[in-house]
Amino acid sequence: MEYTNHYDSPLGGITLASDGEALTGLWFDGQKYFGATLAEGCEQKELPVFEQAHQWLDIYFSGKDPGFIPPLVMKTTPFRKEVWEILLQIPYGKTMTYGEIAGKIAKQKGLGNMSAQAVGSAVGHNAISLIIPCHRVVGAGGSLTGYAGGMDKKVQLLSMEKVDMSAFFIPARGTAL
């Protein structure tokens, strides 16, 4: 059985999902790929993991690093899980490029290189937004590129984390929007 819960954030509603023990999803309501990993027939319920996630979100939206991560279960492919685990290593207030992540994956696999586009797809399908910080991933040269929750939210999240935004730009066109 899968369970859901709701959180009202300063940037809009957030839906959380759990298998009863760990967090399996966290999406801004209506975002791209919203609920893509949710099973049909979820039940709305209060659970200890949702309380932990609400505490994490309260601290995060107060402009501080929560300093802990609620229990997570990544319901995804092995490749996406590798990418998402690298995302968890990006410190609060810092960013990393798709190319840097691709380089880390290539090194882990003993490959000469890895497609930054494949990494981008894995980042874009992150089912546990914010806690697995996909908003901290930027394109080469300072392009903010897309964010499933919306470019405006990505800018607000990075600004809230006090990331120096002077080196970044929002692309005027292309698939990154």
Side-chain angles (χ1 to χ4, degrees), residues 2 18 23 27 29 38 45 62 65 67 78 93-95 103 132-133 135 145 149 156-157 171 176-177:
E2 209 162 21
S18 172
L23 204 61
W27 306 271
D29 293 345
L38 279 177
K45 190 171 183 177
S62 76
D65 180 354
K94 303 291 182 192
T95 61
I132 299 177
H135 62 281
T145 68
Q156 289 174 307
L157 294 168
L177 299 174

Side-chain angles (χ1 to χ4, degrees), residues 25-175:
L26 188 156
W27 306 271
F28 281 105
D29 293 345
Q31 82 174 46
K32 192 174 185 180
Y33 310 119
F34 176 85
T37 60
L38 279 177
E40 287 189 33
C42 295
E43 179 183 323
Q44 180 94 11
K45 190 171 183 177
E46 296 295 325
L47 296 169
V49 71
F50 290 143
E51 289 176 28
Q52 290 176 327
H54 283 229
Q55 180 185 15
W56 190 98
L57 291 163
D58 287 345
I59 295 166
Y60 180 80
F61 283 114
S62 76
K64 299 179 182 122
D65 180 354
F68 72 97
I69 295 175
L72 306 177
V73 170
M74 299 177 204
K75 294 171 28 180
T76 191
T77 67
F79 176 72
R80 286 181 181 171
K81 185 174 182 179
E82 285 180 276
V83 172
W84 297 358
E85 286 176 348
I86 290 172
L87 299 182
L88 283 167
Q89 297 170 24
I90 305 171
Y92 180 93
K94 303 291 182 192
T95 61
M96 184 178 281
T97 68
Y98 294 95
E100 288 171 320
I101 295 169
K104 285 181 175 272
I105 297 284
K107 185 175 181 182
Q108 288 174 3
K109 294 182 173 282
L111 302 172
N113 60 28
M114 168 65 61
S115 165
Q117 288 81 10
V119 167
S121 178
V123 170
H125 284 85
N126 173 16
I128 310 174
S129 294
L130 296 178
I131 293 175
I132 299 177
C134 53
H135 62 281
R136 295 181 188 149
V137 182
V138 298
S143 171
L144 286 178
T145 68
Y147 178 62
M151 191 61 73
D152 59 327
K153 285 183 178 72
K154 182 171 187 158
V155 169
Q156 289 174 307
L157 294 168
L158 292 174
S159 296
M160 188 177 64
E161 291 185 23
K162 297 179 180 43
V163 171
D164 179 3
M165 300 296 287
S166 65
F168 298 119
F169 66 94
I170 297 172
R173 59 181 176 191
T175 59

